[in-house]
Every structure is written in structure tokens, then in C-alpha cells.
Amino acid sequence: MKVIIRVDASTEIGIGHVSRCLTLAKKYQELGNEVMFICRELVGDCRELIKSHKFKVLSLPLIEEDIWSYTTENWELDALQTIEMIPSQKADLLIVDHYSLDEKWQKKLASFVDEILVIDDLADRPHYCDYLVDHNDYLNLNERYNKLIPDFCLPLLGPTYAMLRQEFIVEKGRIKEKKGPVKNILVSFGGSDPTNETLKVLKALIRFKGLTVHVVVGSSNQYANIIKECCEKNDNYHYYYQINNMASLINQCDIGIGAGGVSTWERCSLGLPSIVVATAENQLELSENANQKGIIKYLGLAESQTTKSWEEETEKFIKNEIQRIKIHKKALEVIDCLGVERIVEKTLV
């Protein structure tokens, strides 16, 4: 089976789309399928990261403007450029993970592939696809894509389809209860962290004594060097750059501080009580719903936070052991880490 994945990453977008596509790609490859990526060259893209995982990457021409606006306006050109990249023999499955591509683009590609799988969580545009994956837990989950997908499309909805890496399945059996004093804190705001919440939080945590702070920075983070310098000045701060063992690190920690999106499901899968902010518009509804379900402590938009607010909210969370234990237990009920297996199984039938 030949699988093609059309996905982008950049300083603006972050690396979340690429990360979940890599997880899917590895499972298809593991089962003996041929997988390749098609990505546009962008500032802060992840083409080298994808290559480091031993996947072939074909590059669309560089643009320097806003990728969402560009692709929305130039969808037909993007489609034609993508078609040129597809091998002469028809691909079996095209996976599309891109917020500015819709049914117009997908219909252009349909005759060049047997089936199309779309990954989305906005539900703001129509799609032409055989499968649609939205692994988020929205209150109106079962109605979100009404009239947005064709009758023949199989919707794969909810956290049971969360695309978590194999390491999370392994660590699931090593979870410890989140009781007692907080000693280890995970700080991770995804691949790009555009408002530099990481540095705000690190400054807020300086006054807390007896804590070990694990700071994870993604490859698209433009503030990486500044954050690294801050960590080097504090003996209890440990700096990690684009790591491959996030699951084990989550399991080491007592609480987490970070962004919404895919990271929410990573932390919830291992029951890490976390303080969360939305670093992008598409994280707002998801984070608000997760807060209502009691599986995170949500503060709102990242840009509205200050070093002082981070200090106050973290102190309250550390002191409230009952709240942390409740979040830990509820989060574990939401997700089982088998989403990738379920998606691949459906598409290989």
C-alpha cells in the first residue's frame, strides 16, 4: 500500500500537525506500507525532522507569507503542485492534515489516489474524503461535521482516535498516582510557543523552592536560545530540545503546564494534572470543553497571561492536592492511547 501525507509546519503553524502525521506514518510503515510526505518549504518547517525519521519528503516551492492565507487563496496551484509530486502509479491513500485545504483541493486530488483521509478539528469547511479524523472531545462531537462530509465518508471522532505515539502505550503501564507534594513540573508549550509562555512560566517558578522544572522546547520555537539561557542560570531547571521521550518525562512529573491541542491528550493519556492555556484559536473550544469535563485546569488565552498570573495560578494548583487527584483520575478515563491502531485498522480494511 502506498501512503502519501500532505502536511505543513512552520514557526507560525507549529509542529503539531506533523507530529501526529509522523505517528500515523510510523504505524503504516511498521505494517509494511510505503509512506512519503509532501510539505511546503516554510520558515521553521519540519522537513528535516521528518527525514530524520527515515521518511521521504518531497518539497513544494518556498513561500514567505502567511501559509494559511496563501494556501486558501492558491489552493488550486497547491493542488497542481501536489499532483506533480505523486508517483505515476496511483497512491492507495492520501492523508491531508491542513486547515486551509477543503473539498475543492481534495476533489482535484481524488482521481490520483484511491482514498483520502482528512485530519481536522475545526469543522469550518466542507471536505471530500473517505475518512475524517477529529480526535478532540467536543460537546457537539457527533453533529460537528453534519453537511461537511459526503455520505460515503466514515467519521472517526473523539479521543479514542487520538494519534499518540507508541511510547505513550508503553508508559501507560507505568503510571503512578499523583498524590503527595509536587516535586517535578513539566513545562511544554508545543512546537512554536508564539507568545513565549515558556519564559513567562520559568520566571514565575523561580521563587518556588524544592521544585525540579523540566522544560521542553520544540524545533519551531524562535525563543529556544533565550529559554536555554534561562535554564542554564537555574540549577533546578532542565532543558530539553525536540525530544523523543515525552511520555516518560510526563510520567516523571507531578503536574504539567502547557498548551492545548495535541499536548492535552498526551498529558491526559498518562493522567498528568495540568494547567493549560490556548496558544491558538483552534485550541479555545477544545480547552474550554476539557476544563468543563474536569480533565485540565484552563486559564484562557496564552497572550492574556503574565508572569504574575502564572505564579499565582501555579501556587494555587500546587496547594490543591484534591483538585489535582480529581483531574488525574478523570483524565485517565478519557483516552486509552490506541487511536493510531484504530485509524490504521479502518483504512486497511
Side-chain angles (χ1 to χ4, degrees):
M1 180 170 171
K2 296 182 184 299
V3 180
I4 296 174
I5 300 177
R6 173 71 183 94
V7 64
D8 286 331
S10 70
T11 302
E12 174 194 3
I13 300 171
I15 65 173
H17 298 273
V18 166
S19 294
R20 60 192 184 188
C21 285
L22 270 173
T23 302
L24 268 181
K26 288 177 181 178
K27 178 54 65 174
Y28 281 112
Q29 187 182 67
E30 179 186 312
L31 296 174
N33 302 289
E34 181 183 336
V35 184
M36 60 174 273
F37 284 74
I38 298 177
C39 305
R40 187 167 294 282
E41 184 179 352
L42 298 165
V43 176
D45 64 45
C46 288
R47 292 174 301 141
E48 292 305 315
L49 173 64
I50 297 169
K51 291 176 185 176
S52 73
H53 287 275
K54 310 303 181 185
F55 290 104
K56 182 179 180 179
V57 181
L58 300 179
S59 300
L60 301 180
L62 171 69
I63 66 160
E64 296 182 351
E65 59 233 74
D66 175 86
I67 180 59
W68 298 137
S69 299
Y70 174 86
T71 314
T72 300
E73 294 169 8
N74 299 280
W75 65 268
E76 190 165 16
L77 176 60
D78 190 285
L80 293 174
Q81 290 173 337
T82 301
I83 289 168
E84 289 178 1
M85 298 287 184
I86 295 177
S88 55
Q89 60 271 51
K90 182 183 287 189
D92 297 287
L93 180 66
L94 171 64
I95 297 174
V96 187
D97 190 346
H98 208 293
Y99 287 156
S100 52
L101 298 177
D102 61 14
E103 67 174 357
K104 301 188 300 294
W105 187 97
Q106 292 146 13
K107 285 180 178 179
K108 280 279 186 182
L109 272 290
S111 60
F112 295 89
V113 297
D114 286 337
E115 292 187 312
I116 297 176
L117 181 150
V118 167
I119 301 172
D120 187 28
D121 46 32
L122 299 182
D124 64 347
R125 63 205 188 282
H127 294 289
Y128 185 79
C129 55
D130 300 276
Y131 311 92
L132 184 134
V133 179
D134 184 340
H135 64 194
N136 292 308
D137 193 14
Y138 294 103
L139 299 180
N140 63 336
L141 182 64
N142 294 320
E143 293 79 41
R144 278 171 61 79
Y145 292 93
N146 287 353
K147 299 182 180 180
L148 294 179
I149 55 177
D151 292 340
F152 59 80
C153 177
L154 176 64
L156 306 175
L157 307 176
T160 54
Y161 293 101
M163 290 160 275
L164 301 182
R165 300 184 296 280
Q166 179 66 28
E167 62 179 289
F168 286 89
I169 298 176
V170 174
E171 289 294 329
K172 191 82 170 174
R174 302 172 183 170
I175 296 173
K176 60 180 180 180
E177 287 190 296
K178 304 300 181 184
K179 292 182 178 179
V182 172
K183 297 179 179 179
N184 288 273
I185 296 181
L186 173 68
V187 178
S188 176
F189 285 91
S192 57
D193 188 12
T195 59
N196 202 4
E197 294 309 301
T198 303
L199 193 60
K200 291 183 195 176
V201 170
L202 295 186
K203 289 179 178 179
L205 295 179
I206 286 175
R207 80 168 189 83
F208 292 88
K209 306 302 179 184
L211 292 178
T212 299
V213 182
H214 302 274
V215 186
V216 180
V217 172
S219 60
S220 296
N221 192 317
Q222 60 187 315
Y223 307 106
N225 290 334
I226 299 172
I227 294 166
K228 184 178 181 182
E229 288 175 9
C230 178
C231 291
E232 289 173 346
K233 293 176 183 176
N234 295 275
D235 292 339
N236 60 322
Y237 287 6
H238 299 282
Y239 177 84
Y240 308 86
Y241 181 80
Q242 197 58 46
I243 60 172
N244 294 316
N245 63 328
M246 179 62 89
S248 64
L249 196 55
I250 288 174
N251 252 350
Q252 291 176 39
C253 293
D254 302 299
I255 67 171
I257 299 175
V262 176
S263 299
T264 296
W265 302 126
E266 291 181 349
R267 293 185 295 261
C268 285
S269 73
L270 299 177
L272 184 68
S274 298
I275 304 174
V276 174
V277 292
T279 59
E281 286 290 323
N282 64 294
Q283 295 176 8
L284 285 170
E285 187 180 353
L286 163 65
S287 299
E288 289 165 357
N289 292 344
N291 188 63
Q292 286 187 41
K293 288 178 176 289
I295 60 176
I296 63 170
K297 177 178 180 178
Y298 178 53
L299 302 185
L301 277 170
E303 60 193 31
S304 67
Q305 306 307 314
T306 64
T307 294
K308 184 64 176 176
S309 67
W310 276 117
E311 181 182 320
E312 293 172 348
E313 293 296 342
T314 302
E315 183 174 23
K316 286 189 285 187
F317 201 52
I318 288 174
K319 289 181 177 179
N320 196 337
E321 183 180 2
I322 293 175
Q323 181 186 28
R324 299 198 316 270
I325 292 172
K326 285 181 178 179
I327 290 175
H328 167 73
K329 291 179 178 179
K330 287 184 178 181
L332 288 175
E333 295 171 358
V334 171
I335 188 167
D336 63 6
C337 299
L338 298 176
V340 170
E341 285 76 3
R342 292 188 180 98
I343 293 169
V344 172
E345 181 182 359
K346 295 288 186 182
T347 58
L348 291 179
V349 172

